[in-house]
Amino acid sequence: MTVKVQNPVDAATTAAAKPVRSPCISVCALNAEDICEGCFRTGMEISRWGNMNNDERRSVLQRCTERARQMGRLW
């Protein structure tokens, strides 16, 4: 019996190639500051999401977490 062991570099490449998922939770309502009350992205980030690469998406997710904390929704 042979067991195939995946090369860690191949595994990292595969993970990096998967698109970063949208944080959308289907509660789409922009507040007065243009921040979605559901996912904490700006209107511009929402509209650009489909054209962003994974690094840009991860950066948006970090900003979303910060915004959620600032808005008292995450502690």
Side-chain angles (χ1 to χ4, degrees):
M1 174 163 85
T2 60
V3 176
K4 183 178 181 196
V5 177
Q6 187 172 15
N7 181 334
V9 174
D10 292 341
T13 302
T14 301
K18 282 185 174 180
V20 172
R21 291 184 54 162
S22 168
C24 181
I25 60 167
S26 298
V27 179
C28 307
L30 296 177
N31 65 21
E33 289 81 37
D34 196 43
I35 306 295
C36 178
E37 293 288 338
C39 68
F40 305 102
R41 290 180 292 173
T42 65
M44 183 62 73
E45 290 167 343
I46 292 167
S47 64
R48 288 199 56 244
W49 186 265
N51 295 318
M52 291 181 182
N53 64 39
N54 280 345
D55 289 336
E56 291 170 314
R57 289 177 177 194
R58 286 184 196 96
S59 179
V60 167
L61 292 178
Q62 284 183 309
R63 290 193 299 272
C64 290
T65 300
E66 245 179 69
R67 288 182 194 122
R69 277 196 184 102
Q70 290 171 352
M71 294 169 74
R73 308 279 181 78
L74 187 65
W75 50 91

